Amino acid sequence: MMLNPKRTIAELLELKALTDNGLGAQRVAFSPGWQKARKWFLNKVQQFPFTTEMDAAGNLWVKIQGQRPEELWIGGHLDSVPSGGWLDGVFDLLAGLEVLRTYTSVKPPVTLCLVDWADEEGSRFGRSLFGSSAVSGSLKKEELFSLKDASGLSLAEVLEAYGLSANKVGEAAKLKNKAVAYLEVHIEQGPILEKLSVPLGAVLGTAGVERHRLVFRGQTNHSGATPMRLRKDAFVGAARLVTFLRSVANRYQGVATAGCCELEPGIPTAIPGVCRLTIEERNLDKTNLEKMWEETVKEAQKIANEENLKLEAEPLLRIEPVRFHPQLVELCKESIREVCSKVHLLGSGPLHDASEIAKAGIPTAMMFVQSKEGISHSPKEDSAIEHLEMAVVAFEKWVKKTIHWLLQKLPEKA
């Protein structure tokens, strides 16, 4: 079967019509919308001579056996955030399906596996990259029983309802033993490629994350009776730190966000005595990320001293940056140049399943497609149709180049 990028666009629109309620995509993992999407996807897959199976973590695998048993993985995800866009995750999967279709009458040199990762977004339980981290081996068993959704159901209980056992999720890690490479194509979800007027980009890696909760403690007092010079305003301390974040991010070419701020008592007639500020910093370079956070803590303590406040820090999440395989990145660049002549190298601020697979020691890389206005996780998420079609063509070229590279480095068959 010949590659047909227009079929990928048609299928994306078909899935959008099926799972978009007018307020965006409704495919949160382990929900009826997600089930509906998987049933639809399986109907597409079962029209071809592929084998399908679901692993112990709920990942859905579509496989076409090759001349060799070693597996080249192509990944994506059907799940979405609540009221999400029509491309995030599903473009990866459907572009991969289109590539697999080209091997329906010709046995590929290596085994090709297309995987729909379970709960990439983490919208329901707050644990992103669930399925891929189970395969990489980084998922901790205690998370399955401690994480709960808004209704109080544990992740373990929900897995049970889907025919999965929390006690067996770790068995999915065995699957990585045959994998020799992992490729993923994804919308950028940011504005860089559009600003450069470049349709496609080769991704260098994913940024590391430092997420912490800083608590400034001062003195609650009457807002009308307390002179400004005598105040111990916890919110003032936090506000001063927020303005510092922009400068430290720019200095180290990263990003920093104060995304959550809680005040006590939180009324207009009282000076805030407590302010809980959640800060997240990201950087593709490990050293720069460490320096960003070190300077942020130092500045926070300086501000607390000047404002007569106490400072507490609670770590919430720490993820090291992940660099993708340089040879696969180079092959990605070559494939893009054959389609649109221009290519840009960039890092990814958002996390992806590719990060988990790379951490497992499997050669990994990603291709990005330009996002309109850099918008994602929103019904306004969009990319130009011609750019999406170019990405499908470039992706097929990348898969073929990767197979050729693998054959050169794999041992001869016995």
Side-chain angles (χ1 to χ4, degrees):
M1 184 177 288
M2 296 292 292
L3 189 79
N4 183 359
K6 293 187 184 300
R7 180 165 44 217
T8 301
I9 305 303
E11 289 175 340
L12 285 165
L13 292 171
E14 188 180 333
L15 182 61
K16 179 181 179 182
L18 182 70
T19 60
D20 189 316
N21 65 352
L23 300 174
Q26 309 298 333
R27 299 188 304 272
V28 173
F30 305 113
S31 74
W34 182 65
Q35 278 186 301
K36 185 189 295 185
R38 276 205 157 173
K39 182 178 180 181
W40 172 88
F41 179 66
L42 279 170
N43 285 337
K44 296 287 181 184
V45 167
Q46 288 167 353
Q47 298 172 25
F48 301 93
F50 307 142
T51 60
T52 60
E53 65 175 314
M54 189 167 68
D55 67 27
N59 301 307
L60 181 62
W61 296 84
V62 180
K63 184 180 296 188
I64 182 165
Q65 195 65 42
Q67 297 170 34
R68 299 184 60 116
E70 295 91 350
E71 297 175 351
L72 169 59
W73 291 0
I74 298 169
H77 60 96
L78 284 169
D79 73 293
S80 72
V81 297
S83 301
W86 71 297
L87 297 170
D88 181 8
V90 293
F91 174 68
D92 326 13
L93 202 64
L94 294 177
L97 176 59
E98 187 59 29
V99 172
L100 255 65
R101 285 183 175 120
T102 66
Y103 289 96
T104 52
S105 58
V106 179
K107 200 170 189 180
V110 298
T111 298
L112 298 179
C113 295
L114 177 63
V115 54
D116 169 28
W117 298 113
D119 202 0
E120 190 270 356
E121 299 290 2
S123 298
R124 183 170 177 182
F125 295 97
R127 208 311 179 178
S128 301
L129 313 181
F130 169 73
S132 56
S133 63
V135 170
S136 74
S138 70
L139 181 67
K140 295 179 177 62
K141 188 174 181 179
E142 54 266 27
E143 293 181 86
L144 303 173
F145 298 92
S146 62
L147 294 172
K148 297 181 183 296
D149 66 9
S151 70
L153 282 174
S154 71
L155 178 52
E157 290 173 306
V158 171
L159 290 174
E160 198 75 32
Y162 279 80
L164 301 167
S165 169
N167 290 310
K168 294 182 179 180
V169 165
E171 294 178 7
K174 298 174 184 176
L175 296 172
K176 64 178 180 284
N177 296 333
K178 287 186 178 181
V180 288
Y182 176 84
L183 306 180
E184 188 173 329
V185 59
H186 203 285
I187 57 169
E188 182 195 350
Q189 301 179 284
I192 295 173
L193 294 177
E194 185 179 56
K195 294 294 184 185
L196 296 172
S197 298
V198 176
L200 307 175
V203 186
L204 293 166
T206 56
V209 181
E210 288 279 359
R211 188 182 302 164
H212 300 256
R213 182 179 293 112
L214 297 183
V215 183
F216 290 89
R217 295 190 183 276
Q219 178 62 60
T220 300
N221 214 334
H222 197 290
S223 63
T226 310
M228 299 302 290
R229 68 181 185 281
L230 299 179
R231 296 182 177 211
K232 297 180 180 180
D233 191 327
F235 189 34
V236 169
R240 287 182 57 185
L241 184 64
V242 170
T243 61
F244 169 81
L245 293 179
R246 181 175 295 181
S247 64
V248 76
N250 288 335
R251 190 155 56 250
Y252 290 105
Q253 298 180 308
V255 294
T257 307
C260 182
C261 183
E262 302 172 2
L263 302 180
E264 289 183 13
I267 58 175
T269 56
I271 298 164
V274 179
C275 179
R276 296 180 180 87
L277 185 70
T278 302
I279 291 174
E280 183 182 270
E281 297 180 337
R282 300 191 184 210
N283 203 300
L284 188 62
D285 184 88
K286 180 181 179 180
T287 300
N288 284 347
L289 180 61
E290 290 172 351
K291 288 180 178 178
M292 282 176 66
W293 181 241
E294 287 171 5
E295 291 192 19
T296 300
V297 172
K298 184 178 179 180
E299 182 69 14
Q301 189 59 65
K302 175 176 172 287
I303 292 169
N305 293 339
E306 292 173 354
E307 297 292 337
N308 293 314
L309 306 171
K310 293 180 180 179
L311 178 68
E312 301 166 8
E314 176 190 353
L316 299 177
L317 178 68
R318 178 173 283 124
I319 298 174
E320 290 197 359
V322 174
R323 287 279 181 171
F324 290 150
H325 195 282
Q327 185 58 46
L328 289 181
V329 173
E330 186 61 34
L331 294 176
C332 182
K333 284 169 55 183
E334 292 175 11
S335 302
I336 291 172
R337 284 200 182 101
E338 291 178 11
V339 173
C340 59
S341 75
K342 296 190 294 184
V343 64
H344 180 69
L345 293 170
L346 70 167
S348 173
L351 300 173
H352 294 282
D353 292 305
S355 314
E356 283 295 327
I357 303 309
K359 286 194 293 186
I362 298 167
T364 296
M366 292 184 70
M367 180 186 293
F368 271 171
V369 188
Q370 183 189 121
S371 291
K372 289 185 177 180
E373 299 181 34
I375 296 175
S376 184
H377 283 192
S378 161
K380 294 182 179 180
E381 173 184 280
D382 203 8
S383 291
I385 297 300
E386 59 266 32
H387 293 167
L388 295 171
E389 292 179 351
M390 290 166 70
V392 176
V393 175
F395 191 61
E396 185 206 24
K397 292 177 179 294
W398 190 25
V399 169
K400 288 181 176 178
K401 290 178 187 294
T402 300
I403 291 173
H404 179 70
W405 173 70
L406 288 171
L407 292 176
Q408 290 178 316
K409 65 192 287 290
L410 288 173
E412 290 187 13
K413 290 191 290 185

